[in-house]
Each structure stands twice: as structure tokens, then as C-alpha cells.
Amino acid sequence: MSMFKALQKAEAEKDIEALMSLYHEDFEFVRHQTGTTMNKTELRVILLGMMTHPSFEELMQRCIYENDDILVTHAVMRFQDGTRESVLGAKMIENGLIIRSETGATPMK
């Protein structure tokens, strides 16, 4: 199964354990919008909050490009506060696990 399909499956099933099993222990997430980073433990808290919040919604997600080294995606998300963003993500893959993720987001009206 491709990394994109594995991520989609775990997210659709709201399976945080399956989702986190796709991330390397040395994972780093970089948000270019804020210049902040987080590790796998911090990411788990964020993802669990998003997955369980009734007003969070991924309106669209598509795979732009994927191979054994990288996954590039585009998504439109509605966050808990009602804002919407167009999010471009690049996930670097090492030994079949996501080792680094970078996103750029643009607010939408």
C-alpha cells in the first residue's frame, strides 16, 4: 500500500495508532507558516485533537507525487475555529516511514 493510501485509511478510520505507526521515531514536523517544529510525540497530540474534534474537516486531499523517498500532497482543511486553509505538504520517507514533514498553508475565505 502506498504511504498516501495508508495515511488516508488511518485518518478515515480515526485510528491514531495506525497513523502514528507510519512515522519514524526521529520524526520532525516543520510549519513554514509559523517557523515552528515538533516531534512525533507532539504531532500525536495535535493529530488526536484534530481527529476527535467534531468541527475539524478535511474537505479535500490529493496526492501530487509519491515515490519511496517523498510524498507531496495538497489538502483543503476546515479547522476547529472555523478557518479554512489550503495546505501543501511534503513528507520525506526513510525506510518506509515518514521522517520529516513540511507544510505551507494559505488561509482561504
Side-chain angles (χ1 to χ4, degrees), residues 5 7 17 26 31-32 34 38 46 48 51 54 58-59 63 67 69 76-77 90 96 98-99 106-107:
K5 289 184 190 278
L7 287 165
E17 298 309 322
D26 295 329
R31 288 188 204 155
H32 287 279
T34 61
M38 67 177 69
I46 298 294
L48 186 57
M51 290 171 72
E58 192 167 65
L59 303 169
C63 177
N67 67 23
D69 299 316
V76 175
M77 300 178 177
I98 302 166
I99 186 82
T106 302

Side-chain angles (χ1 to χ4, degrees), residues 14 47-57 79-81:
K14 298 187 185 294
L47 291 177
L48 186 57
M50 289 167 57
M51 290 171 72
T52 58
H53 199 284
S55 63
F56 173 78
E57 187 177 9
F79 292 94
Q80 295 90 320
D81 64 0

Side-chain angles (χ1 to χ4, degrees), residues 20 23-32 34-50 79 98-103:
M20 296 314 297
Y23 290 86
H24 193 281
E25 287 306 311
D26 295 329
F27 171 78
E28 180 182 41
F29 176 55
V30 180
R31 288 188 204 155
H32 287 279
T34 61
T36 59
T37 64
M38 67 177 69
N39 62 30
K40 183 177 178 176
T41 301
E42 295 164 323
L43 177 69
R44 179 188 172 86
V45 172
I46 298 294
L47 291 177
L48 186 57
M50 289 167 57
F79 292 94
I98 302 166
I99 186 82
R100 182 180 172 92
S101 181
E102 301 185 29
T103 62

Side-chain angles (χ1 to χ4, degrees), residues 88-108:
L88 186 62
K91 292 174 173 54
M92 280 56 84
I93 301 168
E94 182 177 291
N95 299 320
L97 297 173
I98 302 166
I99 186 82
R100 182 180 172 92
S101 181
E102 301 185 29
T103 62
T106 302
M108 299 175 69

